[in-house]
């Protein structure tokens, strides 16, 4: 995505959504691993200003699908930019790769948990 934009910005947090909604600067905001509390209040602001805000697969952001989208959010100033952004993000992130990374992450936690359990169960001198 960074190679597809004129000037990528990092660390803008909610300010990026404000300048997107106001029309003064950002045209696309892409973030990952957000909590519900990070984006729920921003959806009506962006959409009320004429923008589009979905997950990376183009699904609406709702309370019910947060677990499915895992906080991967794309907000765009208009529908055309949104379609382009989803197409670009689709090249780098898909449901299948997400499933693989999800299980890899869970396996890592399991391995760390087992390692800690073994370490803590050893007799101490």
């Amino acid at each position: 995505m960074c190679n597809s934009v004129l000037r990528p910005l990092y660390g803008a947090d909610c300010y990026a959504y404000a300048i997107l909604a106001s029309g003064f600067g950002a045209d696309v905001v892409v973030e990952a691993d957000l909590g519900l509390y990070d984006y729920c209040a921003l959806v009506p602001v962006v959409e009320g200003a004429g923008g589009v805000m979905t997950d990376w697969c183009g699904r609406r952001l709702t309370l019910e699908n947060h677990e499915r989208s895992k906080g991967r959010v794309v907000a765009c100033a208009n529908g055309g930019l949104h379609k382009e952004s989803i197409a670009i993000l689709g090249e780098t992130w898909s449901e299948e790769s997400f499933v693989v990374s999800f299980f890899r992450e869970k396996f890592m936690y399991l391995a760390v948990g087992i390692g800690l359990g073994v370490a803590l169960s050893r007799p101490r001198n």
Side-chain angles (χ1 to χ4, degrees):
M1 181 60 108
C2 290
N3 296 330
S4 302
V5 298
L6 181 63
R7 185 177 61 163
L9 302 172
Y10 303 96
D13 296 324
C14 68
Y15 179 66
Y17 297 94
I19 60 175
L20 182 136
S22 69
F24 293 110
D27 292 321
V28 177
V29 178
V30 177
E31 293 196 89
D33 301 320
L34 296 181
L36 284 170
Y37 48 84
D38 290 321
Y39 65 81
C40 272
L42 298 170
V43 174
V45 172
V46 170
E47 290 179 351
V52 180
M53 191 165 171
T54 67
D55 71 3
W56 288 11
C57 292
R59 292 184 297 258
R60 288 187 50 81
L61 295 171
T62 65
L63 296 175
E64 293 80 23
N65 76 356
H66 173 70
E67 288 301 315
R68 190 170 181 196
S69 68
K70 291 292 183 192
R72 287 169 167 83
V73 173
V74 57
C76 300
N78 59 56
L81 281 174
H82 183 259
K83 285 180 184 178
E84 288 182 51
S85 299
I86 294 298
I88 292 166
L89 290 169
E91 295 171 4
T92 59
W93 185 82
S94 66
E95 297 258 4
E96 183 177 324
S97 67
F98 169 72
V99 170
V100 170
S101 68
F102 174 80
F103 282 110
R104 185 178 301 131
E105 177 185 325
K106 297 302 178 196
F107 179 75
M108 182 194 70
Y109 288 132
L110 175 65
V112 169
I114 291 171
L116 286 173
V118 169
L120 295 174
S121 68
R122 291 185 180 159
R124 297 182 186 177
N125 296 333

